[in-house]
Amino acid sequence: MRYVAALFITASLVQPVFAQTWPQRPVTFIVSQSAGASPDVMARMIANKLSATLGQSVIVENKPGAGNVIGAQAAARAAPDGYTFFFATSAALVTNPYMLKTLTYDPVKDFVPVALVTRSHQVIVVHPDVAARTLPELIALDKAAPGKISMSVDGARNLAGVTAQALNKRAGTQFVLIPSVNINNGLQDTITGRTQAGVFSASIVEAHVKSGALRAIATASTRRLVAAPEVPAAAETLPGFDFAGWFMVMAPTGTPADIVKKLNGAIDEATRDPQVRELAPKLGFELDPKGAGTPEAAEEFLNDQLALWARTTQELGIEPQ
């Protein structure tokens, strides 16, 4: 009995030790998209602040490919020791499960939510030659000549592609969706007029909208951008239309709970940083005024989003492939 009691006491002392001593070496955030993409931009912004708070470097490691699968799989298989985390996209966590029959990771079983970092808005843009300055005008153009307007998307089964499909279904339009090899190719297609419209993240199109190379006609969500309040939300035309992306930090399952809690607190502090608060909206990112919230709140949000995508894919008749 004394031996069992000693084991119990020892085990009860282990958990606090993790939080007191972690981190003792650099921490890695795996990003499942390429350098310069929206999640990479936000991950590096947060990592920079975390490095100062935690007293160790926070390294962003890009592992793009296969629709976020390569990076997600690498993060899921990482040692749950508090030194590797997944800076996850909404596509990796809630879109892929409904798009892919065979997924080499389980968003729920393989990960533990740490914190919801930010939302990343998509923007519906058009080439300046298109005679539409609002979403209703673009819809009217298509209905006057169905199938004449082409729209660049990131892929038929990725976020922008599903957003465009939902737009067609709910608005009764027939925009021709043109999947691009990568997001930069699709962007250039719209800038040059090879496609008349496109759906892209706000951080990618911001500079081109400011220069006049593209015209923003709506955010693909229920909210206007803080940095561009003159651009209406699509939900103002199509009630309930909400296809914002978001980023969440996830830990491999088995990561000590006190490390998850400590990192959550550090991320919450980073999202409250005045510099981050000033820069994020300019890049199309929306931070919660209350901060990053708790791991439990992140888990609840994730479950709600999984349910939302179950309904969306059913509405659009999308089956896993």
Side-chain angles (χ1 to χ4, degrees), residues 256-269:
D258 59 323
I259 290 180
V260 169
K261 185 176 180 180
K262 185 173 181 179
L263 180 58
N264 170 271
I267 292 172
D268 182 67
E269 182 179 334

Side-chain angles (χ1 to χ4, degrees), residues 49-269:
K49 298 300 179 182
L50 291 179
S51 295
T53 301
L54 299 175
Q56 290 286 350
S57 297
V58 178
I59 301 165
V60 174
E61 183 177 353
N62 300 96
K63 288 184 176 293
N68 295 279
V69 171
I70 291 174
Q73 178 179 286
R77 295 179 179 177
D81 56 6
Y83 289 96
T84 302
F85 297 89
F86 185 26
F87 197 90
T89 63
S90 53
L93 296 180
V94 300
T95 305
N96 282 350
Y98 297 103
M99 298 294 174
L100 303 174
K101 278 185 178 180
T102 304
L103 199 59
T104 54
Y105 64 93
D106 188 310
V108 175
K109 294 180 181 179
D110 291 341
F111 296 106
V112 174
V114 177
L116 175 63
V117 179
T118 182
R119 290 174 180 263
S120 173
H121 286 286
Q122 297 187 102
V123 179
I124 302 169
V125 297
V126 296
H127 186 274
D129 289 345
V130 174
R133 293 189 171 276
T134 66
L135 183 57
E137 288 179 357
L138 184 65
I139 291 170
L141 280 179
D142 176 82
K143 289 187 175 181
K148 297 295 185 181
I149 297 175
S150 59
M151 182 173 287
S152 287
V153 297
D154 55 1
R157 303 172 71 81
N158 295 335
L159 181 58
V162 173
T163 300
Q165 289 180 63
L167 177 60
N168 272 340
K169 185 173 183 64
R170 298 181 190 182
T173 49
Q174 296 180 37
F175 298 121
V176 179
L177 309 188
I178 308 296
S180 54
V181 175
N182 60 60
I183 202 66
N184 289 326
N185 286 1
L187 182 62
Q188 286 304 310
D189 282 346
T190 309
I191 290 173
T192 59
R194 285 191 291 270
T195 57
Q196 291 74 51
V199 181
F200 305 101
S201 67
S203 61
I204 290 175
V205 299
E206 180 204 18
H208 302 291
V209 170
K210 284 185 176 180
S211 72
L214 294 171
R215 181 186 303 128
I217 62 170
T219 62
S221 63
T222 59
R223 303 180 186 180
R224 297 189 178 203
L225 291 174
V226 173
E230 72 282 1
V231 179
E236 294 174 35
T237 301
L238 303 169
F241 196 92
D242 190 7
F243 287 87
W246 45 265
F247 307 134
M248 184 181 288
V249 174
M250 307 289 283
T253 295
T255 301
D258 59 323
I259 290 180
V260 169
K261 185 176 180 180
K262 185 173 181 179
L263 180 58
N264 170 271
I267 292 172
D268 182 67
E269 182 179 334

